[in-house]
Amino acid sequence: MKRRLLLTCLIAWAAVAGAQDKPDTLVINGVTIIRDNKPLEREPRKGFLKSINTKRSLKNVVTEWGMVDIGMSNFVDGTHYTDVAAQAYAPGSNEQWFATKYFKSRNVNVWIVTQRYNLIHHFLNLKYGLGLELNNYRFKNPVRFNPRPATDIVNPPVVSIDETPGRSYRKNKLAADYITIPLMLNFNFTPDRLYPFELSAGVSVGYLYAARNKTITSDEGKLKAKDNFDLDPWKLSYVGDLTLGVVTLYGSYAFKSMYKRGLDHTPYNFGIRLRPADFFSKIQN
């Protein structure tokens, strides 16, 4: 009995399943209407970014606007603090005076425009541009950069240590801002790919247009001392960047000290580059 009941259920299930696969037919006033019971096929979902195999058209000149670098600023201290020049610039100084807060010493570069010019089969390119290089060096110690006094003293002292009783520092930084022009050779190992593998290396020339020592203390509040502080007005640096798909890393290392006298601080920067136009070109329509 059980076997007959099970066999009857299987036959009924097969009949229902078969009926679902067949289209329904309905006749109304001599008009035959056929309804297909097959499920609708949905289009595959598109990803947020285009496929990694996507190719792009090649142009001899590629212009990019509004790139921004966000990273770290610091320097290699090669100063001999016992030398007369160092003591004349910062009397009583030693290697501890200019110790920086590493992760709070920041670099921001704003590249107004950059261009890449094809030299050889889009594999070798010339890369150049114009931008603003903004460097902030945050100090651990209460060093003060004093604007040049209105006297006839040749090479007066610039830096001193603040030993005011009871005064505490919440912020103490030196900011040095440059107008910068880079010139690099760009090697694009996948020139026709939307997600490239690129390496660029060259030099940059920067001109100091603003410098200031900003402090925030417990009793004085916020103060800004603006001067060139005998910083070298010209900054020559080795520069480079590496692009891996959607990520671009950058770095720079100056030829020499950023000071004209006294201190031997050779600055360097590194970080990540944000490229809005390049990112939006990779988004699915």
Side-chain angles (χ1 to χ4, degrees), residues 175-179 206-211 227-228 231-235:
D177 303 334
Y178 301 83
I179 298 173
Y207 181 76
L208 182 73
Y209 71 88
D227 195 69
N228 61 17
L231 291 167
D232 194 326
W234 295 99
K235 181 180 181 182

Side-chain angles (χ1 to χ4, degrees), residues 159-194:
V159 181
S160 60
I161 198 81
D162 187 358
E163 298 177 332
T164 304
R167 177 177 292 169
S168 61
Y169 277 71
R170 202 171 76 194
K171 179 181 287 187
N172 184 18
K173 74 174 184 179
L174 173 67
D177 303 334
Y178 301 83
I179 298 173
T180 302
I181 298 175
L183 183 64
M184 295 183 283
L185 286 177
N186 167 263
F187 299 89
N188 190 343
F189 301 99
T190 55
D192 62 338
R193 296 290 181 178
L194 185 62

Side-chain angles (χ1 to χ4, degrees), residues 209-220:
Y209 71 88
R212 58 201 172 278
N213 178 209
K214 180 180 178 179
T215 59
I216 300 178
T217 62
S218 56
D219 58 335
E220 295 176 310

Side-chain angles (χ1 to χ4, degrees), residues 104-149:
K104 291 189 176 182
S105 297
R106 299 189 179 99
N107 165 239
V108 175
N109 303 322
V110 180
W111 299 108
I112 301 168
V113 61
T114 60
Q115 280 193 330
R116 188 179 64 199
Y117 181 78
N118 171 38
L119 294 177
I120 302 176
H121 303 303
H122 301 278
F123 170 79
L124 179 62
N125 307 277
L126 183 64
K127 194 173 177 181
Y128 47 89
L130 174 66
L132 303 178
E133 179 187 341
L134 315 176
N135 303 288
N136 293 281
Y137 305 99
R138 290 281 295 271
F139 299 110
K140 295 180 180 179
N141 298 306
V143 291
R144 300 290 285 259
F145 286 75
N146 306 304
R148 184 179 294 275

